[in-house]
Amino acid sequence: MTAATDRGLPSAEELRALEKLAIDVAAEAARFVVERRAAELQVTTKSSDVDIVTVMDSRSQELIAARLRAARPRDAFFGEEEAADGRTDQAPPGTTEPAGSGLTWVVDPIDGTVNYLYGFPQYAVSVALVQGDPTVPGEWRPVVGAVADAVAGRVHHARLRGGAWTRTVDGADEPVHVSDATDLATSLVGTGFGYDAAKRGRQARALAELIPHVRDIRRGGSAALDLCHVAAGRLDGYYEMGINPWDMAGGWIVLTEAGGTCTGAQGEPPSSDCVIAAAPGIAEALTRAVDSVVDLVRHP
Ligand code: IPD
């Protein structure tokens, strides 16, 4: 979806209010998951033994859904987790509810769930408002995003054409900008791995091909924060094959509003197949490098 598709886009003033809503809701849910972590660490598994969901993922999503529905009843809701209490008005993963407004809230109630389980301080709540259908690559784009870095107490946020910002613990907004890297060989690049053991093996083989061409690799464990780290120049780039719309939506708009690029492999739009995030000076080189290894991950 291109910038030309501004039909149905809320006004600049509305976007500002929607950004504030996203920030407030993400920050509230982040405080909630941090405060309740010690008491509520019940875990079940999803797609594999290492793909976990905690009770707090579900509770966080319920809280976010309740706040957003109260404020914006005509928007659709697309969240990672099913409601723990089985309410039928909650969209299951992979589906969206029909939107009267043409806008959908795409939510990851805890991105970095394994970090959350271990108390490794890299997990976030991501709340984004998107235009288009978030289940179809190329047919949607985020227009507002807030990624609350739960342990640090900061919220990275952006709205379309409004710049990218980090709200500090004392409530000040600081501007966020990508690095001025121009050389892939001296760039710090983030990545991540999926929950399927066979796929992780393929991702590791792709990484082994790529690592000689960069300064070093970081694996933080939260794709939403990885995208915000690129936005803020703490990483020069990031790529991953296999993340979902809820992992990428909030960080994507923070990154692009910070001057970065967010694409898929081989010039495609970002999708679950591949996301490549970069400072503009290395975008082409990183894309070429990822393009050269992406098939190692795609094909068993
Ligand atoms: C995961 C994280 C991780 C990435 C995985 C994601 P979750 O999301 O973003 O960094 O490598 O691919 O699934 O499961 O913690 O919400």
Side-chain angles (χ1 to χ4, degrees), residues 46 51-52 57 80-81 108 110-114 191-195 219-224 226 238 240-244 246-247:
K46 297 195 286 184
D51 182 8
I52 56 157
D57 287 84
E80 181 175 13
E81 315 298 345
D108 195 336
I110 302 180
D111 183 57
T113 310
V114 174
T191 192
F193 306 99
Y195 292 114
R219 196 293 193 246
S222 159
D226 288 333
Y238 158 81
E240 184 164 348
M241 292 93 165
I243 67 171
N244 292 294
W246 48 81
D247 301 311

Side-chain angles (χ1 to χ4, degrees), residues 141-258:
R141 64 171 173 176
V143 295
V144 158
V147 176
D149 182 336
V151 178
R154 291 189 291 256
V155 185
H156 312 294
H157 62 94
R159 66 178 184 278
L160 199 64
R161 299 174 202 127
W165 307 87
T166 292
R167 185 155 299 179
T168 64
V169 276
D170 41 21
D173 276 332
E174 292 176 350
V176 166
H177 218 274
V178 288
S179 79
D180 56 8
T182 53
D183 177 18
L184 186 62
T186 54
S187 291
L188 188 62
V189 175
T191 192
F193 306 99
Y195 292 114
D196 175 75
K199 185 168 184 181
R200 278 205 307 276
R202 297 199 298 280
Q203 287 171 316
R205 284 191 282 283
L207 177 58
E209 294 289 319
L210 212 134
I211 198 168
H213 304 290
V214 299
R215 179 191 295 272
D216 204 353
I217 288 288
R218 294 289 178 270
R219 196 293 193 246
S222 159
L225 287 178
D226 288 333
L227 290 165
C228 294
H229 290 323
V230 181
R234 289 183 290 272
L235 292 172
D236 301 308
Y238 158 81
Y239 76 93
E240 184 164 348
M241 292 93 165
I243 67 171
N244 292 294
W246 48 81
D247 301 311
M248 69 180 89
W252 172 355
I253 188 158
V254 174
L255 171 67
T256 49
E257 286 295 323

Side-chain angles (χ1 to χ4, degrees), residues 2-20:
T2 63
T5 330
D6 274 0
R7 207 152 48 94
L9 189 68
S11 68
E13 200 181 320
E14 280 170 313
L15 278 178
R16 188 187 295 274
L18 291 163
E19 183 183 16
K20 180 179 181 312

